[in-house]
Amino acid sequence: METMLLDENKLDIAVELIKRGEVIGIPTETVYGLGADASDENAVRKIFQAKGRPADNPLIVHLADFAEAEKYTESIPDIAWRLSEKFMPGALTIVLPKNNRIPLITSGGLDTVGIRVPAHPIMQRLIELSGKPISAPSANKSGYPSPTTAQHVMRDMSGIIPAIIDGGECQYGVESTVISIENGDTIRILRPGFITPEMLGTVSDNVIVDKAVLAGLETGEKASSPGMKYKHYSPSADIVIIESDLEKFTEYVGGHYGEGVYSLIFDDDTEKFPYRYMSYGKDSQEQAKQIFRRLRELDDCQAVRVYVRSPEKSGIGLAVYNRLIRSAGFEVIRL
Ligand code: AMP
Ligand code: MG
């Protein structure tokens, strides 16, 4: 199969493919998604196959408007409506009890479904014109860093899916914030993103960051969200996070330097840093936008081991840290 690269004037082709139960690459404001009709079991099966995704890792369902969630869920608590008014369309996914319009294959066998209303105009139009709820996990091979350009999707999915819509580089660069709701108005953050704990705190006094956001699960521990269990976002290179100031970081890298050793540092570090490096922005927002692209570029350079300056663990930095500790297999050195 030859994979077509479509521009946004060719949305009619993309809409036809979705209606026919095919899987296509779609730009969103977070990362590129691998989209198909969420209500069509065969179409959803193709997503799992294309990604090589474990069957128990659920797909998020994208709708044009949060009010549409009533068609696909058993019930919607008041707080979910309030969150939707404030943050939708946008990078927030709310896990809700699903009804049987969402097949079990889509929800990874769970009786809940994550609902998101994307802000990206191409994704919005695709949902509206196809009239379908669209499942769209990140458009990478399972385990690899998420794609933030159409070219990244092409690299992972060429010959596997019929088309990719090129919408340029994604605005945010990390996936949506995923939350569940407990006891009426407690918000549990299952995956951090651009909608930060502080922002969610404006809607509820009870916001919990799930323990698995910042650390690995203990052996045998049950995940509140299946995606937490899997190795994720990993390039071929060995990633190691170092929590320290620049001086100690530089000293450490010097002591462990050699062929294939790279560092991933902040833009402001570069002048004083004497070793091989890439930089990933100067604040959390830029780091989020660049992190997956840099992990892919490090593979292109045949990096073997990469020492990473640790991002902040608050605000949007929490999302960057969450992705990085997974790509590092939880290998963090504190100096
Ligand atoms: P991705 O599709 O790559 O953006 O990953 C979506 C992630 O959202 C999954 O790995 C899960 O961890 C989480 N998720 C989606 N649906 C649910 C759900 N029903 N319950 C808990 N977590 C979910
Ligand atoms: Mg993913």
Side-chain angles (χ1 to χ4, degrees), residues 51 53 57-60 93 95-96 107 110 112-114 136-138 140 175-176 178 190-191 224-228 232:
K51 280 183 66 83
R53 184 170 172 112
N57 196 358
L59 306 184
I60 291 168
T93 298
V95 173
L96 296 166
S107 66
L110 298 174
T112 54
V113 61
S138 51
N140 50 287
E175 306 85 341
S176 62
V178 179
L190 304 174
R191 178 176 74 185
S224 348
S225 180
M228 292 169 174
H232 234 135

Side-chain angles (χ1 to χ4, degrees), residues 36 46 72 114 126 147 174 229 233 254:
K46 289 182 195 167
Y72 303 102
L126 208 57
V174 292
K229 293 192 298 213
Y233 317 120

Side-chain angles (χ1 to χ4, degrees), residues 79 83 86-87 91-94 177-180 185 187-209:
I79 189 166
L83 287 163
K86 207 145 184 181
F87 302 117
L92 181 67
T93 298
I94 309 182
T177 304
V178 179
I179 61 167
S180 62
D185 73 343
I187 296 173
R188 176 178 293 275
I189 299 178
L190 304 174
R191 178 176 74 185
F194 257 71
I195 308 295
T196 62
E198 296 78 5
M199 289 160 77
L200 294 167
T202 62
V203 178
S204 168
D205 290 334
N206 304 309
V207 178
I208 300 169
V209 177

